[in-house]
Amino acid sequence: MPRKETLSSRERIRLALDHQETDRIPIAMVCSGINPPAYKTLESYLHRERGISVHDYLNPLIDIRGVEPDYIGPRLENGVDIWGVKRILFNYGLGSYNEIDHYPLRDARNIDDLNKHIWPSTKWFDYSVLPERIIAAQADGEHCLMVANGNIFETSWYMRGFEQIFMDFILNKELAHGIMERVTDFYIQHFTKMLSAAKGGVDLAFTADDIGGQRGLLMPVEMWEEFIKPHHVRLSKVIHEFGVRVIYHSDGSVMDAVPGLIDMGIDVLQALQFSADGMDPVELKRKYGHRLCFEGGVSVQTTLPFGSSEDVRREVEELITVLGKDGGYILGPSHAIQAGTPPENIVAMFDTAKSFYPF
């Protein structure tokens, strides 16, 4: 179809995901953001150079926004999430990160131990607020809205421990399946209630599981197919029943898993860590671009923190040219923009994305 002028964010995303032309490349920060030290530096830069805030700069550009229900469940201790996982702050000088300090299922040995654990309930959330949240999110224009989070394997190992759950995949399969089944059951109920309350106001559901490292997959494909894939198949099926697309996040080198991810039911592959081994945007688009859409890609490992502004512009233009051809691409950073990233590079990414459209 001919390219339209001045689309709304929701129209822009919908057309892109239907592999059609848009007025500009869609822009988002899914599973991303700007870490506080980098945000502070960017704020100073934008005030000095353009007389605007970060919010005023980014708000007209970002096409995807999140909405969520209210938590009304039992009072949670400081640093403890709904799964019983406790995190504490670790300072790295300029800021801090949350690191897991307590794995509530670390000592579980069998299904009886799982039955003793307090699992979250959808009764802990007020989904009735979603219609008003959707109205508020659309107050300054029609945006593409997304609900989250659906990270089944990650939630499971957050409770069990990263090394331990891999040991379970070999030595205690019943326990591993038991944990992940319970996690999936919650997410299916949670997404069902969110999407029911949204009444068509949501277009994307964010699911995730980091299954790739810098050099390759974290596990053999066969292990992923046995322990993780079937649970995401269940969740994706429910999301699709609402006419909502699944945007799925994984960091790292995941090229070998892409056919299985498509079969699993994802619509958009998110993160796109092209600095990881084997991650090639040209091959990704050539092999899978007719069946899959993409979000992310601008490197927070290399180009944004360590390149020049010209390097950033070049990378953005290359990604748009390759992944954006015939639609199907939403540009953004590959993950959170880290402390020390030059504000000029952040601005170069967004300025280039809003103005460069070669098609």
Side-chain angles (χ1 to χ4, degrees), residues 95-110:
S96 57
Y97 279 108
N98 286 311
E99 298 287 350
I100 296 177
D101 185 57
H102 172 67
Y103 303 89
L105 295 179
R106 179 189 59 187
D107 298 324
R109 294 291 178 265
N110 51 47

Side-chain angles (χ1 to χ4, degrees), residues 132-338:
E132 64 187 56
R133 296 279 164 84
I134 290 170
I135 292 171
Q138 306 290 33
D140 60 345
E142 190 181 41
H143 295 82
C144 175
L145 302 184
M146 180 180 76
V147 292
N149 194 17
N151 52 338
I152 297 167
F153 169 59
E154 290 176 338
T155 300
S156 299
W157 78 252
Y158 294 164
M159 290 188 286
R160 182 68 169 147
F162 188 67
E163 293 182 7
Q164 184 59 56
I165 203 160
F166 279 103
M167 293 176 64
D168 294 337
F169 287 170
I170 303 297
L171 302 174
N172 198 343
K173 293 186 176 185
E174 182 183 33
L175 185 68
H177 283 301
I179 295 171
M180 297 188 71
E181 285 170 1
R182 286 162 173 77
V183 171
T184 307
D185 288 345
F186 169 78
Y187 280 131
I188 285 174
Q189 295 171 35
H190 188 52
F191 276 89
T192 297
K193 289 183 179 292
M194 286 192 292
L195 296 175
S196 295
K199 302 183 186 302
V202 165
D203 291 308
L204 288 171
F206 178 84
T207 69
D209 271 332
D210 283 335
I211 59 172
Q214 193 70 26
R215 305 301 178 196
L217 295 177
L218 298 178
M219 67 199 81
V221 171
E222 295 79 12
M223 182 178 284
W224 172 78
E225 289 179 339
E226 178 179 357
F227 288 98
I228 300 174
K229 179 181 177 181
H231 302 292
H232 275 282
V233 169
R234 290 175 57 204
L235 180 57
S236 295
K237 181 177 182 295
V238 169
I239 292 167
H240 286 151
E241 287 172 354
F242 287 89
V244 171
R245 286 183 163 104
V246 175
I247 180 167
Y248 172 91
H249 165 90
S250 177
D251 293 326
S253 176
V254 297
M255 205 73 166
D256 290 343
V258 172
L261 292 172
I262 295 171
D263 184 54
M264 189 176 82
I266 75 168
D267 302 289
V268 187
L269 179 61
Q270 193 277 325
L272 308 180
Q273 188 182 334
F274 292 123
S275 53
D277 288 1
M279 291 294 290
D280 181 353
V282 174
E283 282 296 288
L284 196 64
K285 183 73 171 183
R286 183 182 68 83
K287 288 184 176 180
Y288 310 113
H290 61 295
R291 300 178 60 193
L292 196 60
C293 298
F294 308 102
E295 195 280 338
V298 183
S299 179
V300 299
Q301 280 187 301
T302 56
T303 318
L304 279 171
F306 303 120
S308 66
S309 295
E310 181 57 35
D311 293 330
V312 174
R313 282 190 285 271
R314 188 180 304 111
E315 181 165 298
V316 170
E317 290 180 359
E318 288 174 354
L319 290 172
I320 292 173
T321 301
V322 172
L323 295 175
K325 183 176 174 55
D326 300 321
Y329 180 49
I330 304 163
L331 184 134
S334 59
H335 212 297
I337 297 172
Q338 300 296 308

